[in-house]
Amino acid sequence: MGNALFYHLTRSPLEATLPMLLAKSLQAGWHVVVRARAAERLDWLDQKLWLGGEESFLPHGIAGGPHDALQPVLLTDGQEAPNGAQCLMAVDGAEVGPEECRALERVCVIFDGNDPAAVERARGQWKALTGAGVPAQYWSEESGRWQKKAESG
């Protein structure tokens, strides 16, 4: 069974944190699905991921293309994972279920700590997942570096 890691963004924006987490996942040998709640957000994420330098290139694509199964990182607003992902990164409050957490190596819930609605939604996801027995960790960057602040399971 995998675990859920909650990343509370307070200093770094999503476009800085997501590439760092994706690079670590790819280094672990995992394929990743990045799930957003809206298709428009996928285009924005796609553009941000292409902006990195050559040394930080993150191979990725948006779901619905002919090579979805080959993508190391697949951006989607759906529940599918045609690339055989071992890791799911949920952004913008995208849904994550306990069954997914159990089936994957890791699930990352990344949320904007400056948005009260996003914080409330993440709290609800924490309760739902830990209540279903999914091991979880809460990470915060308030001090200027990432620190584990809580753990369940």
Side-chain angles (χ1 to χ4, degrees):
M1 176 197 307
N3 58 356
L5 277 62
F6 285 73
Y7 290 94
H8 187 166
L9 305 179
T10 54
R11 292 177 176 248
S12 301
L14 177 62
E15 60 267 28
T17 304
L18 183 61
M20 181 257 314
L21 293 172
L22 288 172
K24 288 182 181 226
S25 296
L26 293 175
Q27 287 171 356
W30 297 339
H31 279 201
V32 182
V33 166
V34 177
R35 182 182 298 157
R37 292 174 64 182
E40 304 80 43
R41 187 66 158 171
L42 300 177
D43 291 331
W44 181 85
L45 287 169
D46 180 48
Q47 290 175 18
K48 296 299 180 187
L49 291 176
W50 284 115
L51 291 178
E54 201 172 296
E55 68 287 344
S56 62
F57 173 71
L58 292 166
H60 70 280
I62 296 177
H67 304 292
D68 286 359
L70 303 174
Q71 296 293 344
V73 175
L74 189 65
L75 310 176
T76 185
D77 62 349
Q79 301 296 312
E80 71 282 348
N83 66 342
Q86 293 92 4
C87 179
L88 165 66
M89 297 197 184
V91 301
D92 301 335
E95 289 294 326
V96 175
E99 306 78 31
E100 286 180 299
C101 293
R102 290 184 187 102
L104 297 167
E105 294 289 327
R106 178 161 300 154
V107 170
C108 299
V109 177
I110 307 166
F111 62 100
D112 182 353
N114 299 309
D115 177 351
V119 171
E120 222 25 64
R121 183 158 178 82
R123 284 185 181 137
Q125 288 176 305
W126 174 275
K127 282 184 178 181
L129 294 177
T130 58
V134 174
Q137 297 177 357
Y138 165 74
W139 291 80
S140 172
E141 62 172 348
E142 280 180 319
S143 69
R145 63 182 184 88
W146 286 105
Q147 293 181 304
K148 183 169 46 170
K149 298 286 191 166
E151 191 163 8
S152 175

